[in-house]
């Protein structure tokens, strides 16, 4: 039969050290290939040079096997989560297709562990409880749980995630070709979590990651949010309008750390700032005004309405004051911030208010020269309002380039910011300790005691 | 106060075209930056050159806003899913930290749409129903639903995912700086799915992706799996031991397409093969035997037990025959394949059986020279047992290199495989049509009718 134009399609189904069940014992395989991005990049590039249609990754959302005698002799227990792997491969290739298996549910712990391996220890997870109804509706819920329940649930969720990150001790994977033992079964720990909100067996099918745990970031500023952060966060991303607010928050949260056996330096507080940078103050001001003029009233009102917890403000005149508003189930700290703002500054109209928050959504806007911006960051830093800042450039890429080229050198001249990275991991650069695996810790304490 | 060693930490909180709510209307922003990886790579590199600690991405699992008048004037409705974005950025950077917001649940539709944008239209989703109990236990279930229910649920899940992929028409995002209209509200479609298994409102917060839908791949070979594939799959990944089996499967599945208005070429059937390649047949055989000798009996028995649906075979002598086994709730097609194998080949012992399937887990092992392997692929292809193959190299990277350097050129010499990629998307290379957006289709049909 004639097949003149029809050609064969080829997929490269890739799997750690190979498909043969004993491939990892073959002398020429890359023993730690399962979690080495360079290995997969090489494979995808081999396939792409040969004009394959696609690379293809299988997956399962847990270790498939409960038979430890067999499992510990195979190289299937630690590998990248395929979606993050494919995303990285999209950068290392240009033509070849990228296919991954995905079952119906995913695991936050697994994605971040995978990303931590991919990036060599540079990942961080900003844990949020989600406060919008539209998000809830995408997951079969009619509405969000109440504020307090969300925090309870978040605490338990974090326990599950960190528990899964400790599934494997750091030295669990011995990969001994001679004996055929791939991992030490005694260093695998099944979580078996059963709490009010989650039932998760574990273990994770990714080895403990370079940072032990990806850095845990939080953003809640309510009392419940502060307490959760004091107990569990390593970075807090927060919004402040004034130095006094920032100092009070800093003092309060750092003061809560002791009751969880933590030191002040174990948690970095990083407020967001929105810098508008000019060579002169007038130039900076003109740049800012030009941006503000582009805000359509529909956009400003909607933003304000969201910050008040969903109250429709379209019935009130934009030139008039903000009306008294009921408390809602939305994010507490954002509402408070807005009310403080309205009270503090006399005679602010609805339009004034939305213009004030439109750019930075409650974070501080700093309009000035590189020197005056550096002055302000230095003051907040030295007077213990912040350990650092999350830079929210008003527009990209220009705003970030200006900050990098104008403000950073000024901070460096003052000895306030690094001139070289301290290390290769995010923890090392932030000055955060690497968490010990809870099971290794227990074993160590048992030996010592 | 002295701060000799303490230095400021800096995060670059990045957001599409910038944090100012009207930034996208600024003349120097990158209008389509929200879904352009090069834009984010540039930003992360600016921040890394300036020694920032981390880039930081906010996220929400849905569009936050229900106010269309405002929403359609802001650049917040289409952006990368942050985990896939960070994975890609891990390749484009070396020191800077990578922090993303993640709420407690994720969306398959969103990840693949994001990956499709990241890769310029090269993503594919292999939909599996998951058949292992250990996976179920990681998500709060005591056991997996029955085989038939899994397929019903998969069908509905696919409806939701493809529905979400059609949230936006291809030309929904007009991004007109002058009028301030970012997207056309009439081209946004809310899914509002309410089925027996899922309730999902939508819409997706990623624009329709380069391929319209990422390529849908399936792997089930049971009757339910075949029917689902005939209705919805674009690639089938399947395991066959003989050409006769492959031809029967090909004929059966391609024959089912007509009842769903599909053409035979709309679905590519790609069996897996495990090639062991030698310059001579003897060399290939020796390579294969060397690998087989590395299989520990614990590993072989566990593999066989898994394929029989979890039956413990350790009580039976490995040199004896496979006992009669009960039907289980596991993957039907794998069990059938094993029984066929045991019946077809006289006097196969348990050890013979596990050695036979250990390498390729039911897929065909081909041990031979580049020419003999090409002969076999050509025969399967020309006699309509396959449209192509998923190459499962026994060990990596060597096995893939050998296939790329020895077998691919042989296929090319015969005119059976491309010498250059046909295009930049996976669909183009596989020869699959780009699905029209269901809402645009309805509108077009209404105009035509």
């Amino acid at each position: 039969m004639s097949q003149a134009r029809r050609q064969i399609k080829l997929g490269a189904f890739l799997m750690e050290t190979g498909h043969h069940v004993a491939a990892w014992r073959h002398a020429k395989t890359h023993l730690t290939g399962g979690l080495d991005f360079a290995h997969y990049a090489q494979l995808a590039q081999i396939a792409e040079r040969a004009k394959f249609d696609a690379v293809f990754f299988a997956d399962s959302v847990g270790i498939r096997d409960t038979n430890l005698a067999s499992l510990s002799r195979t190289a299937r227990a630690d590998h990248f989560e395929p979606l993050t792997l494919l995303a990285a491969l999209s950068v290392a290739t240009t033509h070849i297709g990228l296919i991954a298996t995905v079952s119906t549910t995913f695991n936050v712990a697994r994605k971040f562990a995978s990303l931590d391996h991919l990036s060599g220890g540079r990942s961080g997870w900003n844990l949020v409880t989600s406060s919008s109804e539209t998000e809830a509706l995408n997951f079969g819920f009619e509405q969000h749980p109440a504020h307090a329940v969300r925090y309870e649930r978040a605490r338990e969720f974090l326990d599950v995630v960190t528990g899964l990150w400790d599934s494997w001790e750091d030295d669990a994977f011995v990969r001994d070709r001679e004996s055929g033992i791939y991992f030490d079964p005694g260093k695998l720990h099944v979580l078996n979590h059963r709490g009010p909100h989650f039932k998760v067996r574990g273990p994770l099918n990714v080895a403990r990651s370079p940072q032990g745990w990806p850095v845990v970031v939080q953003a809640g500023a309510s009392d419940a949010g502060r307490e959760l952060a004091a107990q569990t966060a390593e970075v807090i991303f927060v919004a402040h309008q004034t130095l006094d607010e920032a100092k009070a928050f800093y003092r309060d949260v750092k003061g809560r750390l002791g009751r969880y056996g933590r030191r002040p330096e174990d948690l970095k507080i990083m407020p967001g700032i929105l810098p508008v940078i000019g060579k002169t103050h007038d130039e900076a001001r003109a740049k800012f005004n030009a941006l503000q003029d582009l805000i359509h009233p529909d956009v400003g009102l909607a933003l304000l309405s969201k910050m008040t917890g969903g109250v429709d403000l379209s019935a009130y005149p934009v030139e008039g004051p903000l009306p008294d508003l009921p408390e809602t189930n939305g994010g507490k700290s954002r509402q408070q911030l807005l009310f403080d703002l309205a009270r503090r500054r006399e005679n602010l109209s609805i339009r004034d208010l939305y213009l004030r928050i439109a750019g930075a959504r409650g974070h501080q806007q700093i309009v000035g020269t590189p020197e005056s911006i550096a002055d302000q960051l230095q003051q907040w830093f030295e007077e213990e309002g912040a350990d650092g800042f999350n830079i929210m450039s008003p527009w990209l890429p220009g705003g970030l380039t200006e900050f990098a080229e104008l403000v950073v050198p000024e901070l460096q001249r003052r000895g306030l910011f690094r001139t070289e990275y301290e290390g290769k991991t995010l923890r090392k650069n932030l000055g955060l300790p690497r968490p010990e695996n809870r099971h290794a810790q227990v074993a160590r304490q048992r030996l010592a005691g």
Side-chain angles (χ1 to χ4, degrees), chain A:
Chain A
M1 101 197 255
S2 165
Q3 300 278 355
R5 287 199 43 88
R6 188 168 159 255
Q7 287 189 316
I8 289 174
K9 304 300 172 193
L10 286 184
F13 179 5
L14 303 178
M15 195 175 240
E16 298 96 21
T17 51
H19 280 277
H20 190 279
V21 74
W24 71 273
R25 300 180 69 187
H26 184 290
K28 291 199 177 163
T29 49
H30 180 20
L31 261 187
T32 57
L35 289 172
D36 180 352
F37 176 68
H39 172 65
Y40 289 104
Q42 180 195 8
L43 299 177
Q45 287 160 2
I46 291 169
E48 186 168 72
R49 277 195 299 272
K51 318 296 178 198
F52 273 57
D53 291 84
V55 289
F56 181 104
F57 291 91
D59 188 40
S60 63
V61 290
I63 283 177
R64 285 184 195 265
D65 217 307
T66 50
N67 177 340
L68 267 186
S70 165
L71 185 64
S72 63
R73 294 176 177 280
T74 61
R76 301 277 185 261
D78 69 321
H79 52 83
F80 282 122
E81 184 280 326
L83 249 279
T84 42
L85 175 59
L86 286 188
L89 284 176
S90 76
V91 182
T93 55
T94 54
H95 281 80
I96 199 162
L98 308 161
I99 302 181
T101 295
V102 172
S103 190
T104 51
T105 331
F106 257 92
N107 196 308
V108 169
R110 199 162 157 245
K111 277 193 189 52
F112 277 100
S114 187
L115 180 60
D116 208 48
H117 282 284
L118 267 172
S119 61
R122 298 187 283 133
S123 71
W125 170 36
N126 182 27
L127 184 162
V128 303
T129 64
S130 293
S131 57
S132 86
E133 298 296 323
T134 51
E135 288 187 280
L137 294 172
N138 284 343
F139 293 92
F141 300 102
E142 294 300 331
Q143 57 177 35
H144 257 290
H147 190 264
V149 175
R150 289 209 300 275
Y151 272 93
E152 262 178 46
R153 192 175 176 281
R155 181 71 188 80
E156 188 186 338
F157 191 80
L158 189 66
D159 282 343
V160 174
V161 169
T162 58
L164 287 169
W165 283 337
D166 283 348
S167 295
W168 303 90
E169 296 185 35
D170 287 310
D171 56 354
F173 288 89
V174 293
R175 301 186 181 95
D176 180 29
R177 281 193 178 109
E178 196 52 42
S179 68
I181 297 289
Y182 192 74
F183 69 80
D184 176 353
K187 296 189 170 175
L188 160 61
H189 303 279
V190 176
L191 182 63
N192 275 328
H193 175 92
R194 285 174 171 270
H197 300 287
F198 303 100
K199 275 197 296 185
V200 181
R201 180 178 174 274
L204 213 60
N205 50 354
V206 181
R208 199 155 192 263
S209 75
Q211 296 189 106
W213 302 356
V215 173
V216 175
V217 182
Q218 283 169 42
S222 66
D223 190 70
R226 291 177 193 207
E227 201 62 28
L228 180 65
Q231 191 178 359
T232 62
E234 303 180 287
V235 172
I236 297 185
F237 175 38
V238 65
H240 297 307
Q241 286 286 325
T242 69
L243 176 55
D244 284 345
E245 282 169 29
K247 285 164 74 172
F249 179 84
Y250 191 99
R251 209 164 35 238
D252 175 65
V253 173
K254 296 263 180 173
R256 296 176 191 234
L257 291 168
R259 64 180 91 146
Y260 301 107
R262 304 181 71 200
R263 304 165 306 166
E265 60 267 37
D266 292 344
L267 171 62
K268 308 297 178 191
I269 296 177
M270 297 175 69
I273 66 151
L274 185 131
V276 182
I277 307 160
K279 291 202 181 61
T280 63
H281 280 279
D282 284 350
E283 186 189 300
R285 180 54 56 185
K287 277 183 170 179
F288 184 59
N289 290 342
L291 272 171
Q292 294 286 80
D293 288 345
L294 297 174
I295 301 173
H296 192 281
D298 284 353
V299 174
L301 280 178
L303 203 63
L304 210 50
S305 162
K306 195 164 65 180
M307 277 190 73
T308 57
V311 177
D312 181 9
L313 294 167
S314 60
Y316 301 92
V318 283
E319 304 302 342
L322 191 68
D324 287 336
L325 297 173
E327 189 164 291
T328 70
N329 189 26
K332 294 277 181 272
S333 49
R334 288 304 177 87
Q335 285 173 42
Q336 197 52 50
L337 197 146
L338 190 70
F339 297 144
D340 290 350
L341 190 65
R343 269 201 303 275
R344 199 167 49 235
R345 303 180 189 227
E346 300 279 315
N347 301 321
L348 281 192
S349 68
I350 288 179
R351 182 197 300 278
D352 292 335
L353 268 176
Y354 81 60
L355 282 177
R356 189 74 186 76
I357 60 160
R361 282 151 298 127
H363 294 272
Q364 205 193 25
Q365 300 174 157
I366 315 183
V367 182
T369 63
E371 295 73 26
S372 74
I373 291 171
D375 286 347
Q376 189 161 337
L377 299 187
Q378 181 167 6
Q379 188 185 14
W380 282 47
F381 177 67
E382 290 185 346
E383 296 186 13
E384 302 206 320
D387 295 310
F389 303 93
N390 223 351
I391 304 307
M392 303 168 56
S393 300
W395 65 277
L396 296 168
L400 183 61
T401 303
E402 287 171 358
F403 190 88
E405 293 181 355
L406 301 173
V407 182
V408 165
E410 182 60 30
L411 293 173
Q412 288 171 331
R413 267 192 291 279
R414 302 180 189 191
L416 288 167
F417 189 62
R418 71 168 66 83
T419 53
E420 292 301 334
Y421 281 107
E422 292 84 354
K424 294 279 281 182
T425 70
L426 179 56
R427 287 189 176 278
K428 180 78 181 166
N429 290 324
L430 286 172
L432 293 168
R434 184 178 190 274
E436 192 176 6
N437 185 300
R438 64 193 66 185
H439 307 289
Q441 193 175 27
V442 166
R444 192 174 46 73
Q445 284 164 351
R446 202 177 291 138
L447 277 175

